[in-house]
Amino acid sequence: MAILKQDISFNNVKQVDAEMFTSKIRGIMDNHAPQTSRTVTDRTSSPWFSVESKAAKQARRRAERKWNKSGLEIDKQIYLYHKKQVRGINLTAKREYYNLKFSEVHNSKDFFNLSNESLAVAVVVVLLVVVVVVVVVVVVVVVVVVVVAVVVAVVAVVAVVVVILLGCKYTVTVYFLDIFSGIVH
């Protein structure tokens, strides 16, 4: 900034070179606020998304910011009200959109194409839920099998100790082990 004051004084304003002035300003701007580039992804909105949906979402975000800032219970209730409104508006708009689309269908091919289009997301979600449930069931089964094996092993060890302490014959011990090993298999 000091260089600019030296080069351009109020006394010789008429003698200012426009290119020099522009280059000095550009240098200052590049130094303090360099030009950056950003990649913006253009996302198409849902076909049922409307101006009403947008306004409701804005009101919901406004209420959420106010609640986060104040922390008051009344602001939380207002936010929850707006949240419910947005959900209802979007559900109604989506239902109306698909009712209109299905009412325009006149043959089975178009019907199945539209059904596949609308159900594609639901199928992915259902498949993910099924995978999670299967993984949980497998983990539970493995844990149960391990617990049963440990219990059987403990019972077998206790049986062997009891047989040894009581002085029973070897055949009784083998009989106990055969019974408990049959439970595991």
Side-chain angles (χ1 to χ4, degrees):
M1 199 73 161
I3 296 173
L4 187 62
K5 286 183 181 177
Q6 283 179 346
D7 292 342
I8 304 170
S9 66
F10 289 111
N11 295 336
N12 59 359
V13 170
K14 294 180 182 177
Q15 300 172 0
V16 171
D17 184 17
E19 290 179 28
M20 188 230 10
F21 180 75
T22 305
S23 69
K24 295 287 184 182
I25 294 295
R26 247 190 211 139
I28 292 169
M29 291 298 289
D30 288 342
N31 188 25
H32 294 289
Q35 184 177 6
T36 59
S37 63
R38 309 254 173 175
T39 303
V40 177
T41 305
D42 184 29
R43 291 185 175 88
T44 57
S45 63
S46 301
W48 55 84
F49 193 75
S50 64
V51 176
E52 183 184 12
S53 298
K54 183 177 181 179
K57 284 178 74 172
Q58 287 172 344
R60 178 189 64 189
R61 281 292 294 141
R62 199 175 310 117
E64 183 181 18
R65 285 191 300 270
K66 186 175 180 183
W67 170 50
N68 285 335
K69 187 176 181 181
S70 71
L72 296 174
E73 183 63 29
I74 187 70
D75 289 334
K76 179 182 178 183
Q77 294 301 321
I78 291 171
Y79 162 67
L80 293 175
Y81 169 78
H82 283 291
K83 185 177 172 183
K84 188 175 179 181
Q85 289 294 109
V86 168
R87 204 174 326 126
I89 289 170
N90 286 339
L91 184 64
T92 303
K94 192 175 186 180
R95 187 178 299 124
E96 289 173 359
Y97 171 77
Y98 280 112
N99 282 340
L100 179 68
K101 287 295 239 180
F102 278 106
S103 69
E104 295 171 352
V105 171
H106 298 295
N107 59 29
S108 61
K109 181 179 178 183
D110 292 339
F111 176 78
F112 283 108
N113 286 338
L114 184 59
S115 297
N116 288 337
E117 171 191 320
S118 62
L119 293 177
V121 174
V123 168
V124 169
V125 171
V126 168
L127 286 176
L128 286 174
V129 169
V130 167
V131 167
V132 168
V133 168
V134 166
V135 168
V136 169
V137 167
V138 167
V139 168
V140 168
V141 167
V142 167
V143 168
V144 167
V145 166
V146 168
V147 168
V148 167
V150 168
V151 167
V152 167
V154 168
V155 168
V157 168
V158 168
V160 169
V161 169
V162 166
V163 167
I164 291 173
L165 290 177
L166 295 178
C168 294
K169 294 187 178 179
Y170 177 74
T171 56
V172 175
T173 307
V174 173
Y175 181 71
F176 267 123
L177 290 178
D178 285 342
I179 291 173
F180 287 115
S181 65
I183 294 172
V184 175
H185 298 294

